[in-house]
Amino acid sequence: MATEFHNLQELHHSASLATKVFIQRDYSEGTICKFQTKFPAELDSRIERALFEITVKTLNDYYAEAEKIGGQSYLEGCLACATAYVIFLCMETRYEKVLKKISKYIQDQNEKIYAPRGLLITDPIERGMRVIEISVFEDRGSSASSSGSSSTSSSSSGR
Amino acid sequence: MDPGMTECQYSQISTVASSPMESQLGKKIPKRKWQTFPGRNKFYCNGRIMMGRQTGVFYLTLVLIVVTSGLFFAFDCPFLAYSLSPAIPAIGAFLFLFVMGMLLRASFSDPGVLPRATPDEAAHLECQIADDGINSPGSGGCRSPPRTQEVVINGQTVKLKYCFTCKIFRPPRASHCSLCDNCVERFDHHCPWVGNCVGKRNYRYFYLFILSLSFLTIFIFAFVITHIVLRSNQTGFLSALKDSPASVLEVVVCFFSMWSIVGLSGFHTYLIGSNQTTNEDIKGLWSSKRGKGNYNPYSYSSVITNCCAALCGPLPPSLIDRRGFIQPDTPQTAIQSNGTTAYVAPQPQAPMCDQDQCIQGTKFVFQAATTPLLHSDPISLGSVPPLLGKIPLGVACSTLSYPAQHAAAASMPSRPWEGQALAHRDPEHEANRQLYPQAPGLGAYGPSSQDSLHQDSVRGLVKLSSV
């Protein structure tokens, strides 16, 4: 392991993980999956507030769509019950379809908006739908201090 | 429950959370996530089936249902089909299959286990609270977070508790099952008969199981009595019993289990109608006796909507990705990048579930974002080698509290198990409906280090300013 790192470290431009920002869940409407749209202080200099809010709001809308209780979900539920849930061997649930859409959306956002700013959004499903984890990367440069120093990470974030 | 159980390799979960070992040739044997799952669950069929630890009572349930139904089909159905109608065995068979299907689904699926916090999340929670000045700035800086957090849900103030084992603030309605050592979403209770927790993802299967079992029990009871009566008319009571001795056993089993199962079905019907969990009902959280303005914030406007939401609502996915492969460099994340293929063992190609595809999708972001740079401005990783496959756990919940019985089931079948209840308290977690008082909580947890940030730096291939 050490040898590979050494090779990579000798390259010019390098990025390292500086800190992680966690967007927590918003439970004000119950147990539905919804994330807080409050803009965290650590991202103040990295990304525009409006872009961040659009991302979180869109994600919230997707989750609301997945968990919506209405005609389509009832139909799916009754059909599944009638077939003793065997039907899920053949088709995927609406929730899973929406999760795939979310995953694509996050990938798209990362490529277009977040990665150019040195940020990376992790799909909440990987964190048990508890948080949206945004990794903040710093350009190391040749004179940077030891990478990954998280001395700035303890500033209070918006929660 | 994952579909397609084609290969059933019965292997138990290994209690030692070990990182993938390197053979002498430097090959890493990839492990699936269920093999290092921190909870006290049992996994079968290579992670497709998930059950609680104590499955003895589940086998008893299976035996009772199968034997009683088998005797019914063998001894009573021929006579009934001949003298009454062949629809009777047909309906019986349908009920039996439905009961078995629902039982297996309730037992084998993930009840809605919440995965434990990653080291970064846990550190973030602890440090953040320390900085807010809530804990006195003592040695080390980061102390354990306060035990509760208040949120307002639809006008009601709800306290979210911090789980010291899982290092998370539990979402509303979630609870930590001390038997399985997991936080479970919308935790109802741990059912020993089903051998698993009953939570958000398998509550409907559990309810349909007990409902259909009530019907089956009443059905068998009624028709065995009918059978005996009809035979008695022909040959006399005693010879009827002699001709069909199994009927006596069936009547006894059905009679004694009927009361508890029907009672339980009624109780859960009430719970579904009022959109409460067993946990909440036992504690009387939303009862009007607590205060004038106390109401259930999760309940929809009508009983019908509550029922439909509970039984026909969307089925959330499993959050714990049992069959995904563990990346050898990071404990829980699955990000891999082009630049580190020499450093990290390539992920073996295997059929992936949807969650794996989500993870893969996120991985490809990096690959897509960094590919143009690889030849000109490659990215380096953190200088500290990440921890290998180790999930630092807090102090494990060391005590067991036997699950309380179902509230309505005061019948004989559950009594023998009461006597075996361990009189141990769980100081750290809300034991579900335990029979003994709780001790004050202990704030013990494992230390999280700065290195926990570095272990994710293998993800750090991001295109920077040169874009």
Side-chain angles (χ1 to χ4, degrees), chain B residues 251-272:
Chain B
V251 164
V252 165
V253 169
C254 286
F255 181 75
F256 287 115
S257 51
M258 205 163 62
W259 306 110
S260 56
I261 294 169
V262 172
L264 195 61
S265 307
F267 175 62
H268 277 280
T269 308
Y270 155 72
L271 286 182
I272 285 183

Side-chain angles (χ1 to χ4, degrees), chain A residues 1 4-5 8-9 11-20 22 24-25 27-31 66-69 73-74 76-78 81 84-85 88-89 92-93 95-96 99-100 103 106-107 110-111 115-123 125-131 133 135 137-140 147-150 153-157 159, chain B residues 3-4 98 102 105 114-118 120-121 124-125 128-129 131-132 149 151-154 160 168-169 171-173 204-205 208 298 300 305 308-309 311-312 314-317 319 333-334 339 342-343 354-355 357-359 361-362 364-366 368-369 377-383 385-386 450 453-454 456-457 459-460 462-464:
Chain A
M1 276 186 318
E4 282 92 349
F5 273 122
L8 294 167
Q9 278 175 358
L11 305 161
H12 285 298
H13 290 275
S14 49
S16 63
L17 183 66
T19 184
K20 288 188 183 182
F22 296 99
Q24 301 288 339
R25 283 272 293 268
Y27 292 117
S28 58
E29 287 174 32
T31 51
E67 296 183 3
K68 196 167 77 117
I69 298 172
S73 77
Y74 289 156
E76 192 186 47
C78 291
C81 183
Y85 299 95
F88 288 145
L89 292 171
E92 53 178 15
T93 65
Y95 212 114
E96 285 165 354
L99 283 179
K100 284 198 170 139
S103 176
I106 288 178
Q107 190 177 336
N110 272 333
E111 279 172 16
R117 292 168 170 79
L119 302 171
L120 182 76
I121 302 180
T122 306
D123 197 335
I125 194 85
E126 290 183 47
R127 294 291 174 264
M129 309 268 265
R130 283 190 304 267
V131 288
E133 187 180 293
S135 310
F137 293 92
E138 266 175 10
D139 189 14
R140 263 239 224 133
S147 65
S149 113
S150 55
S153 68
S154 47
S155 60
S156 62
S157 67
R159 272 233 301 181
Chain B
F98 192 78
M102 292 298 110
R105 258 211 108 103
L114 287 167
R116 300 192 180 186
T118 56
D120 298 318
E121 274 180 73
H124 176 261
L125 272 182
Q128 183 197 31
I129 302 298
D131 275 347
D132 285 346
Q149 200 180 58
V151 292
V152 177
I153 300 178
N154 290 333
L160 302 186
I168 58 171
F169 275 97
R173 313 190 97 177
R204 69 190 69 187
Y205 307 134
L208 290 172
Y298 311 110
Y300 297 96
T305 320
C308 292
L311 300 178
C312 305
L315 189 65
L319 297 174
T333 57
Y343 156 68
D354 287 333
Q355 284 190 6
Q357 289 165 8
C358 290
I359 292 166
T362 319
F364 289 144
V365 168
F366 278 115
D377 297 320
I379 313 294
S380 83
L381 309 172
S383 58
Q450 298 283 339
L453 288 177
H454 296 302
D456 281 323
S457 59
R459 292 214 229 139
V462 176
K463 203 159 64 166
L464 283 184

